[in-house]
Amino acid sequence: FDTSNAVVVPNGKVGIGTSAPSNAGLNIGIASTDPTASYSANSQLLIGVPGGSTHKLAISRDTDGDNAYIHSYQDGVGAKNLILQPGGGKVGIGTTAPTSVFDLTGSLSGQYAAALINTSTTGHGLYIKAAPNSASYMALAVDNKDGSAILVARGDKRVGIGTNAPGYALDVRDWTSIGNTTDGGILRLE
């Protein structure tokens, strides 16, 4: 093991690119001005496949420290797929105890918790395939922060607005108006 470019200090600290590692474990003190421009040149940690494969996983941070990046890529080709938990398990963002396959938890005042944006001119939005043909299962459930139903789509092809127990193909509770006329709407449901 060539230690000429590494610094090992007491308490299990190892530094690469830094002579003063601050935390126990491996500290890499190289930052990139543009981690997405050249994966090999700008990444702090590269994990490759033995035998000289051009496929790599790169972990990097920008120079001001505001953003961190995880890249799956191939030299000379560019970005490749990044797959999480292919053997099962759950993925949590903003939580240490995910309760769903993908659990996103956050408190963002005045912002969306998630955004799915497809910039393709021929692409689609969100596709959900879930729930057997049964009233007991939801394909989609949208509640407000307090847990009150806003919208549900059940496996038995019933949709509820304002209720999580639709009794009809379309069940709208409270009232709504559709249209823009002087008397309040073209269609009003109560």
Side-chain angles (χ1 to χ4, degrees), residues 116-182:
L116 302 174
I117 301 169
N118 183 352
T119 59
S120 170
T121 58
T122 59
H124 300 281
L126 177 64
Y127 175 74
I128 299 172
K129 184 176 183 179
N133 188 4
S134 169
S136 300
Y137 299 96
M138 302 291 180
L140 174 68
V142 179
D143 293 347
N144 66 15
K145 183 179 174 290
D146 299 323
S148 297
I150 296 173
L151 170 72
V152 298
R154 288 194 327 208
D156 63 351
K157 302 176 187 170
R158 292 186 178 190
V159 175
I161 299 175
T163 177
N164 60 7
Y168 307 96
L170 176 61
D171 192 341
V172 180
R173 302 290 171 93
D174 298 326
W175 68 272
T176 187
S177 63
I178 301 172
N180 186 15
T181 64
T182 55

